[in-house]
Amino acid sequence: MKISRDEVIHVSNFARLDLDEDAISKFVHQIGTILAHVDSLKKVDTEGITATSHAIAQTNAFRDDVVVDHLDRDAGLSNAPEKDDGAFIVPRVIE
């Protein structure tokens, strides 16, 4: 499968990348090579092979839920650079 120069530019616009002509040519070649390899994988006989989502067996590493006391407000605000009336003071980010 080939990828065109226009497709690379189209995708780079989605990613908000400003690519010069050298970068576009490089990506056309590199992505084309990757897609050609993926196409070659279609030729592999996978009949009778069960699908897997991971190369190795995995189990969940979740911990048991344990009820603990929450951090009280004064302890939570103890290292705050600025605080007022039990709340963090942060710089304004909306103009």
Side-chain angles (χ1 to χ4, degrees), residues 2-48:
K2 288 236 176 211
I3 187 165
S4 71
R5 179 182 178 285
D6 291 337
E7 289 171 321
V8 169
I9 292 170
H10 183 70
V11 172
S12 70
N13 287 335
F14 282 133
R16 296 186 179 173
L17 298 174
D18 186 21
L19 302 178
D20 59 13
E21 286 302 318
D22 290 338
I24 292 169
S25 298
K26 184 177 179 179
F27 279 121
V28 167
H29 173 71
Q30 289 178 342
I31 295 171
T33 303
I34 292 167
L35 293 175
H37 178 69
V38 170
D39 275 344
S40 72
L41 294 176
K42 292 180 182 177
K43 298 175 186 173
V44 176
D45 180 21
T46 58
E47 189 67 35

